[in-house]
Amino acid sequence: MGSQRSRCSRELLESIERNLDALETREGLLDAALALSAYVDPDLDLDGTRETLTSWTERIRERSGSNETRAVIARAHQVLFDELDLRGDTEDYYAPENSLLPSVVDRRRGLPITLSLVYKLVVEPLGSEAGSSEGSNSPRVEGLGAPGHFMVRVQGDSGFRAMIVDPFHGGRVRSDDEARQMVRTVVGDEIADQVELLPVVSNRAWLGRIVRNLVGACRDRGIQDCERGLSELLELLEPDRSE
């Protein structure tokens, strides 16, 4: 993290608060994730992150082949996971950088939830025609807020069977049964029996979970100014959640 990391600007959090209604759009979620990252580390290159994400989308789009969802996803996985080597950080899992979108894009390592965010931001703009932004056949990426291990579900055109993708493990495609069993292994049967294992979450809940991860990371690293502001934002994002 940058040397100015303790200089947390309240204006960045207020920008998220003012635009809560936009969170359910892809662009609104991107804006909020970048503002959140800059709040914790003002040295991060937000414009560069946007450009990199766009370049990854264009790199996938430029590959020849069918525009059917299955072919688009296959090309996306080749670029993201084979060529760019996007995957989970297993060496320093709880590092704050793993919750900051620009750091994750730069390092190509992160938490399940931030890697899932990168996946959504890169894959959803892949329209049905080359050069388009989003079309009727564009893949739709939903966040699956599984306890202990965030994943995504990809929806597509009428000939495409929805699939669960695990970006933390190199884009592995999991069946519903496999994903549920993996969650049970992560959190234990006692907890798994009490919660929904593969809930589809809103973008607001997605961001809230990233904030919760950052609250814990800032607390562990002694970044108290950021922790207080993030806790206030979390109360706004998740007013009904008891801590």
PDB file of all heavy atoms in Angstrom, residues 98-113:
ATOM      1  N   ASN A  98      -5.525  -7.170  -1.355  1.00  0.00           N
ATOM      2  CA  ASN A  98      -6.388  -8.154  -2.005  1.00  0.00           C
ATOM      3  C   ASN A  98      -7.843  -7.720  -2.062  1.00  0.00           C
ATOM      4  O   ASN A  98      -8.659  -8.370  -2.728  1.00  0.00           O
ATOM      5  CB  ASN A  98      -6.272  -9.508  -1.293  1.00  0.00           C
ATOM      6  CG  ASN A  98      -4.972 -10.206  -1.598  1.00  0.00           C
ATOM      7  OD1 ASN A  98      -4.387 -10.012  -2.667  1.00  0.00           O
ATOM      8  ND2 ASN A  98      -4.498 -11.021  -0.669  1.00  0.00           N
ATOM      9  N   SER A  99      -8.175  -6.632  -1.356  1.00  0.00           N
ATOM     10  CA  SER A  99      -9.526  -6.081  -1.403  1.00  0.00           C
ATOM     11  C   SER A  99      -9.604  -4.781  -2.193  1.00  0.00           C
ATOM     12  O   SER A  99     -10.672  -4.188  -2.301  1.00  0.00           O
ATOM     13  CB  SER A  99     -10.037  -5.831   0.025  1.00  0.00           C
ATOM     14  OG  SER A  99     -10.237  -7.042   0.720  1.00  0.00           O
ATOM     15  N   LEU A 100      -8.479  -4.319  -2.721  1.00  0.00           N
ATOM     16  CA  LEU A 100      -8.428  -3.064  -3.465  1.00  0.00           C
ATOM     17  C   LEU A 100      -8.353  -3.363  -4.963  1.00  0.00           C
ATOM     18  O   LEU A 100      -7.374  -3.950  -5.437  1.00  0.00           O
ATOM     19  CB  LEU A 100      -7.218  -2.238  -3.033  1.00  0.00           C
ATOM     20  CG  LEU A 100      -7.109  -1.943  -1.531  1.00  0.00           C
ATOM     21  CD1 LEU A 100      -5.846  -1.144  -1.236  1.00  0.00           C
ATOM     22  CD2 LEU A 100      -8.344  -1.206  -1.029  1.00  0.00           C
ATOM     23  N   LEU A 101      -9.372  -2.970  -5.698  1.00  0.00           N
ATOM     24  CA  LEU A 101      -9.474  -3.340  -7.111  1.00  0.00           C
ATOM     25  C   LEU A 101      -8.240  -2.985  -7.932  1.00  0.00           C
ATOM     26  O   LEU A 101      -7.747  -3.843  -8.680  1.00  0.00           O
ATOM     27  CB  LEU A 101     -10.736  -2.711  -7.719  1.00  0.00           C
ATOM     28  CG  LEU A 101     -10.990  -3.003  -9.195  1.00  0.00           C
ATOM     29  CD1 LEU A 101     -11.126  -4.500  -9.450  1.00  0.00           C
ATOM     30  CD2 LEU A 101     -12.228  -2.256  -9.683  1.00  0.00           C
ATOM     31  N   PRO A 102      -7.676  -1.772  -7.839  1.00  0.00           N
ATOM     32  CA  PRO A 102      -6.485  -1.478  -8.653  1.00  0.00           C
ATOM     33  C   PRO A 102      -5.309  -2.387  -8.320  1.00  0.00           C
ATOM     34  O   PRO A 102      -4.557  -2.792  -9.219  1.00  0.00           O
ATOM     35  CB  PRO A 102      -6.171  -0.011  -8.313  1.00  0.00           C
ATOM     36  CG  PRO A 102      -7.481   0.558  -7.871  1.00  0.00           C
ATOM     37  CD  PRO A 102      -8.146  -0.558  -7.126  1.00  0.00           C
ATOM     38  N   SER A 103      -5.132  -2.711  -7.048  1.00  0.00           N
ATOM     39  CA  SER A 103      -4.034  -3.604  -6.663  1.00  0.00           C
ATOM     40  C   SER A 103      -4.252  -5.003  -7.209  1.00  0.00           C
ATOM     41  O   SER A 103      -3.309  -5.670  -7.654  1.00  0.00           O
ATOM     42  CB  SER A 103      -3.904  -3.646  -5.133  1.00  0.00           C
ATOM     43  OG  SER A 103      -3.552  -2.383  -4.616  1.00  0.00           O
ATOM     44  N   VAL A 104      -5.495  -5.466  -7.167  1.00  0.00           N
ATOM     45  CA  VAL A 104      -5.804  -6.799  -7.682  1.00  0.00           C
ATOM     46  C   VAL A 104      -5.553  -6.860  -9.185  1.00  0.00           C
ATOM     47  O   VAL A 104      -4.974  -7.826  -9.696  1.00  0.00           O
ATOM     48  CB  VAL A 104      -7.267  -7.171  -7.349  1.00  0.00           C
ATOM     49  CG1 VAL A 104      -7.681  -8.461  -8.053  1.00  0.00           C
ATOM     50  CG2 VAL A 104      -7.455  -7.308  -5.837  1.00  0.00           C
ATOM     51  N   VAL A 105      -5.967  -5.825  -9.907  1.00  0.00           N
ATOM     52  CA  VAL A 105      -5.754  -5.783 -11.359  1.00  0.00           C
ATOM     53  C   VAL A 105      -4.264  -5.726 -11.677  1.00  0.00           C
ATOM     54  O   VAL A 105      -3.783  -6.405 -12.595  1.00  0.00           O
ATOM     55  CB  VAL A 105      -6.492  -4.570 -11.965  1.00  0.00           C
ATOM     56  CG1 VAL A 105      -6.069  -4.341 -13.420  1.00  0.00           C
ATOM     57  CG2 VAL A 105      -8.006  -4.784 -11.882  1.00  0.00           C
ATOM     58  N   ASP A 106      -3.516  -4.943 -10.919  1.00  0.00           N
ATOM     59  CA  ASP A 106      -2.086  -4.798 -11.164  1.00  0.00           C
ATOM     60  C   ASP A 106      -1.327  -6.083 -10.854  1.00  0.00           C
ATOM     61  O   ASP A 106      -0.455  -6.511 -11.623  1.00  0.00           O
ATOM     62  CB  ASP A 106      -1.541  -3.643 -10.316  1.00  0.00           C
ATOM     63  CG  ASP A 106      -0.060  -3.403 -10.561  1.00  0.00           C
ATOM     64  OD1 ASP A 106       0.318  -3.166 -11.726  1.00  0.00           O
ATOM     65  OD2 ASP A 106       0.722  -3.464  -9.600  1.00  0.00           O
ATOM     66  N   ARG A 107      -1.667  -6.733  -9.732  1.00  0.00           N
ATOM     67  CA  ARG A 107      -0.944  -7.926  -9.288  1.00  0.00           C
ATOM     68  C   ARG A 107      -1.524  -9.208  -9.870  1.00  0.00           C
ATOM     69  O   ARG A 107      -0.902 -10.255  -9.848  1.00  0.00           O
ATOM     70  CB  ARG A 107      -0.973  -8.012  -7.757  1.00  0.00           C
ATOM     71  CG  ARG A 107      -0.280  -6.845  -7.064  1.00  0.00           C
ATOM     72  CD  ARG A 107      -0.646  -6.754  -5.579  1.00  0.00           C
ATOM     73  NE  ARG A 107      -0.392  -8.000  -4.872  1.00  0.00           N
ATOM     74  CZ  ARG A 107      -1.329  -8.728  -4.268  1.00  0.00           C
ATOM     75  NH1 ARG A 107      -2.594  -8.332  -4.290  1.00  0.00           N
ATOM     76  NH2 ARG A 107      -1.020  -9.829  -3.647  1.00  0.00           N
ATOM     77  N   ARG A 108      -2.783  -9.105 -10.347  1.00  0.00           N
ATOM     78  CA  ARG A 108      -3.523 -10.266 -10.872  1.00  0.00           C
ATOM     79  C   ARG A 108      -3.696 -11.341  -9.803  1.00  0.00           C
ATOM     80  O   ARG A 108      -3.771 -12.534 -10.092  1.00  0.00           O
ATOM     81  CB  ARG A 108      -2.846 -10.834 -12.123  1.00  0.00           C
ATOM     82  CG  ARG A 108      -2.712  -9.783 -13.232  1.00  0.00           C
ATOM     83  CD  ARG A 108      -1.949 -10.287 -14.425  1.00  0.00           C
ATOM     84  NE  ARG A 108      -1.616  -9.167 -15.311  1.00  0.00           N
ATOM     85  CZ  ARG A 108      -0.894  -9.270 -16.412  1.00  0.00           C
ATOM     86  NH1 ARG A 108      -0.413 -10.443 -16.762  1.00  0.00           N
ATOM     87  NH2 ARG A 108      -0.625  -8.225 -17.145  1.00  0.00           N
ATOM     88  N   ARG A 109      -3.775 -10.894  -8.578  1.00  0.00           N
ATOM     89  CA  ARG A 109      -4.001 -11.749  -7.415  1.00  0.00           C
ATOM     90  C   ARG A 109      -5.000 -11.057  -6.502  1.00  0.00           C
ATOM     91  O   ARG A 109      -5.017  -9.830  -6.420  1.00  0.00           O
ATOM     92  CB  ARG A 109      -2.699 -12.001  -6.636  1.00  0.00           C
ATOM     93  CG  ARG A 109      -1.629 -12.762  -7.403  1.00  0.00           C
ATOM     94  CD  ARG A 109      -2.021 -14.211  -7.612  1.00  0.00           C
ATOM     95  NE  ARG A 109      -0.967 -14.977  -8.270  1.00  0.00           N
ATOM     96  CZ  ARG A 109      -0.817 -15.089  -9.586  1.00  0.00           C
ATOM     97  NH1 ARG A 109      -1.650 -14.436 -10.403  1.00  0.00           N
ATOM     98  NH2 ARG A 109       0.159 -15.817 -10.096  1.00  0.00           N
ATOM     99  N   GLY A 110      -5.804 -11.826  -5.797  1.00  0.00           N
ATOM    100  CA  GLY A 110      -6.769 -11.209  -4.904  1.00  0.00           C
ATOM    101  C   GLY A 110      -7.582 -12.228  -4.149  1.00  0.00           C
ATOM    102  O   GLY A 110      -7.279 -13.421  -4.129  1.00  0.00           O
ATOM    103  N   LEU A 111      -8.643 -11.739  -3.518  1.00  0.00           N
ATOM    104  CA  LEU A 111      -9.594 -12.583  -2.805  1.00  0.00           C
ATOM    105  C   LEU A 111     -10.643 -13.109  -3.782  1.00  0.00           C
ATOM    106  O   LEU A 111     -10.810 -12.566  -4.880  1.00  0.00           O
ATOM    107  CB  LEU A 111     -10.289 -11.771  -1.710  1.00  0.00           C
ATOM    108  CG  LEU A 111      -9.437 -11.230  -0.568  1.00  0.00           C
ATOM    109  CD1 LEU A 111     -10.301 -10.382   0.369  1.00  0.00           C
ATOM    110  CD2 LEU A 111      -8.768 -12.365   0.198  1.00  0.00           C
ATOM    111  N   PRO A 112     -11.394 -14.130  -3.376  1.00  0.00           N
ATOM    112  CA  PRO A 112     -12.474 -14.615  -4.251  1.00  0.00           C
ATOM    113  C   PRO A 112     -13.425 -13.500  -4.680  1.00  0.00           C
ATOM    114  O   PRO A 112     -13.831 -13.439  -5.842  1.00  0.00           O
ATOM    115  CB  PRO A 112     -13.177 -15.656  -3.374  1.00  0.00           C
ATOM    116  CG  PRO A 112     -12.102 -16.175  -2.464  1.00  0.00           C
ATOM    117  CD  PRO A 112     -11.244 -14.990  -2.168  1.00  0.00           C
ATOM    118  N   ILE A 113     -13.756 -12.594  -3.760  1.00  0.00           N
ATOM    119  CA  ILE A 113     -14.758 -11.573  -4.074  1.00  0.00           C
ATOM    120  C   ILE A 113     -14.225 -10.505  -5.022  1.00  0.00           C
ATOM    121  O   ILE A 113     -14.957 -10.036  -5.904  1.00  0.00           O
ATOM    122  CB  ILE A 113     -15.298 -10.940  -2.773  1.00  0.00           C
ATOM    123  CG1 ILE A 113     -16.528 -10.094  -3.067  1.00  0.00           C
ATOM    124  CG2 ILE A 113     -14.220 -10.117  -2.053  1.00  0.00           C
ATOM    125  CD1 ILE A 113     -17.285  -9.685  -1.821  1.00  0.00           C
TER     126      ILE A 113
END
